Each structure stands twice: as structure tokens, then as C-alpha cells.
């Protein structure tokens, strides 16, 4: 399959943790991956954003289950092209049961352009830097 995004990240978001998998497309159709787990407090989300920037990530995808995606979205959507994806579109493949496998599966689907983001209403898109007094 054709690689659409050479450096992207899939996130598996839960109440207390986020598992991130960064994929880099390499020569001859191979890819390199690195996985990391983060907490969900603001300082953890900022560390996640810094790590993704250091990795050269351009696109990030996450599932839209529950409300746990909202703070993650508010931090990452300012810096990266973020996709909020319907969980039913991702979970269609059986055998992906762990957070690590889920994040890798999301990253793989994203890297090949197989995900379509959901509409995120304007009211949910908060300027994080301004709201925290950073900017």
C-alpha cells in the first residue's frame, strides 16, 4: 500500500493513560515504530506533544470513544494535523486487544490514508496556549 503520511502517530486514549505509536516510513516499504505511554494530566499531554514534535510527526489520529479524547485534542490539534476517528471504523478488525496494538493499528491505518476524521465542533477547539496563559 502507498504511504500517505511518512511520519504519523496513532493514539489509544483512556481515562488515566495514553499509548502513542509513532510510525516512520522507510525504504523498501518498511516502517520503523516507537511506542510510549503517557499520563493524562496537562503536563503529560505537553510532554506527549513535545515528544511527537521531536519525532517529526505531522499527523495524529485517535479514537472518539467517551470524552477522554477532548483534552488530548485541545493540546495536539494546535500543533499537528489531528484526526478524531469513529471507534467502529477502527475496531472492525479482530485481534487488536491491547493498548499497544491499538495505537499501532491506528498509526498504520493513518499512515496509509485509510482513516477519515470526524467533525469536531468549533466550541470544543480551545486555544490551549491562550487558555493557560502561555501565549
Amino acid at each position: 500500500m502507498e504511504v500517505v503520511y511518512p511520519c504519523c502517530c496513532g493514539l489509544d486514549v483512556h481515562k488515566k493513560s495514553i499509548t502513542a505509536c509513532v510510525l516512520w516510513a522507510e525504504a523498501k516499504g518498511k516502517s520503523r515504530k516507537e511506542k510510549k505511554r503517557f499520563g493524562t494530566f496537562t503536563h503529560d499531554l505537553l510532554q506527549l506533544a513535545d515528544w511527537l514534535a521531536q519525532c517529526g510527526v505531522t499527523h495524529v489520529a485517535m479514537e472518539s470513544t467517551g470524552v477522554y479524547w477532548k483534552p488530548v485534542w485541545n493540546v495536539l490539534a494546535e500543533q499537528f494535523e489531528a484526526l478524531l476517528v469513529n471507534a467502529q471504523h477502527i475496531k472492525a478488525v479482530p485481534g487488536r486487544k491491547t493498548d499497544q496494538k491499538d495505537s499501532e493499528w491506528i498509526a498504520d491505518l493513518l499512515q496509509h490514508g485509510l482513516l477519515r476524521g470526524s467533525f469536531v465542533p468549533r466550541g470544543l477547539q480551545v486555544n490551549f496556549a491562550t487558555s493557560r496563559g502561555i501565549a
Side-chain angles (χ1 to χ4, degrees), residues 9-13 60-65 83-110 114-118:
C9 178
L11 299 174
D12 191 42
V13 180
V60 176
M62 66 189 93
E63 293 177 330
S64 61
T65 51
L83 279 87
L84 182 65
V85 182
N86 186 325
Q88 289 182 332
H89 296 160
I90 294 173
K91 299 290 186 190
V93 177
R96 306 283 177 175
K97 302 298 180 204
T98 67
D99 298 345
Q100 300 247 337
K101 285 183 181 177
D102 278 350
S103 64
E104 186 178 340
W105 179 241
I106 294 167
D108 193 36
L109 291 173
L110 175 62
L114 298 174
L115 295 178
R116 184 178 60 202
S118 300

Side-chain angles (χ1 to χ4, degrees), residues 27-59:
K28 299 181 183 175
K30 294 190 177 197
S31 63
R32 180 172 54 102
K33 64 185 168 196
E34 185 175 342
K35 297 177 189 175
K36 227 173 179 184
R37 192 177 206 130
F38 296 88
T40 55
F41 289 104
T42 303
H43 70 286
D44 298 317
L45 299 178
L46 293 172
Q47 287 177 348
L48 169 61
D50 289 344
W51 180 65
L52 295 176
Q54 289 171 359
C55 290
V57 168
T58 57
H59 290 71

